[in-house]
Amino acid sequence: MAYGVTVSHDLDESIFRTRLRAVQAAAESAGIDAVLITPGPDLRYLTGYEAVPLERLTCLVLPATGDPVMVVPNLEVLAATASPIGSLGLGLHSWGETDDPVRLVARLLPSAKTIALDDHMWAEKVLRLRAAMPHAHQVTAGPVIHPLRMRKDATEISALRKAGAAIDAVHAEVAGLLRPGRTEREVGRDIAERILAVGHVSVDFVIVASGPNGASPHHEVSDRMIEIGDPIVVDIGGSMPDGYCSDSTRTYSVGEPAAPYRAWFDILEQAQRASCAAISPGATCESIDEAGRAILRDAGLGDLFIHRTGHGIGLETHEDPYIVSGNTLRLEPGMAFSVEPGFYETGRFGARIEDIVICTEDGFESVNSRPRGLAMVEVA
Ligand code: ZN
Ligand code: ZN
Ligand code: ZN
């Protein structure tokens, strides 16, 4: 079995080498001299190093041409070399507690005129780098990294499938947690426990939006008690050990909701299906949004669908591509994103159906497969 382990390890390294080279090539053609990446999803994507962003500077210095190096605090050298960084053979520049790591970075890039900074870099580090490299023009690194991250490879697709199956397993238990008299917060705690129990390493968000709270798409939990007749929007997600995220919404109803909820929900289901059916290589992101939105609009519910249809997902819950009017980006096989139309009527209720889907050669694959209809919770 040692052979298999070695092979998969080599494979991982080659994935990171390929990604690093692809960013270098993109930087070079964009006229960027170097890309600086601090801990976060982009560092994890490019090197496999899962570091926590802290005040001490950890930074991948990726010149458009030449060898990448890692700037790492002394006390984190062991952690860095235990990650794939160790076997990637990146040059390591460690710094001690009284050194100035920003000046170290500046010395590594003496003639850089344009440097691209990690979109997630702390402002404090951005400004210190600006002061240390006053002649370098700063731009964001997203445009050279996100196009790569947006196109998932086979390993990433299988990671998203696993994350999807895990969050489906939580939704399978949600109806059993919803009872009149329980608060959203109590239900949310139970859901969070289950998100971890099914294999996630973090609970990224838990939305239990009952009755009128459903009208706020990003409501989390409150002390409101569930009542008979409440529709309840449950939108939950977490991160798996490999960093890939889950995100799925189902809408439940504790007893029969008052009219016209069920009729509207049927229209919402049609809208979600229509957006999914519109997915194919070459279709624009905005056309996926429009396919579902048109159905809600035709039914007079257009004004109640107050957000975009979806967002890309991978190492971050929200990343490119965004499924929104105005985004003319054309889908390609391997792009992964949410399809999550909803309707929100202030003071009354809300609804949302959300799946994570992957664009395939001839359509789409959903990584979520729980029933999409209004999930009824029987009350005695
Ligand atoms: Zn990003
Ligand atoms: Zn989402
Ligand atoms: Zn969601």
Side-chain angles (χ1 to χ4, degrees), residues 41-42 118-120 142 145-146 149 316 318-320:
D42 291 329
D118 191 330
D119 284 20
H120 316 84
I145 297 178
H146 294 172
R149 282 186 44 193
E316 286 174 282
H318 288 189
E319 58 182 51
D320 285 322

Side-chain angles (χ1 to χ4, degrees), residues 247 311 338 340 354:
D247 181 6
H311 52 82
S338 68
E340 50 177 310
E354 175 181 25

Side-chain angles (χ1 to χ4, degrees), residues 87-112:
S87 39
L88 268 169
L90 299 190
L92 217 62
H93 287 254
S94 64
W95 57 275
E97 293 287 60
T98 58
D99 299 336
D100 180 354
V102 168
R103 279 180 48 210
L104 172 55
V105 171
R107 278 202 304 273
L108 289 166
L109 301 169
S111 55

Side-chain angles (χ1 to χ4, degrees), residues 111 125 183 188 204 223 253 260 338:
S111 55
K125 294 183 169 63
T183 67
D204 297 338
D223 292 316
S253 186
S338 68

Side-chain angles (χ1 to χ4, degrees), residues 314-336:
L315 289 169
E316 286 174 282
T317 309
H318 288 189
E319 58 182 51
D320 285 322
Y322 293 98
I323 308 303
V324 62
S325 172
N327 189 357
T328 55
L329 177 80
R330 290 184 186 278
L331 294 177
E332 293 171 34
M335 289 185 179

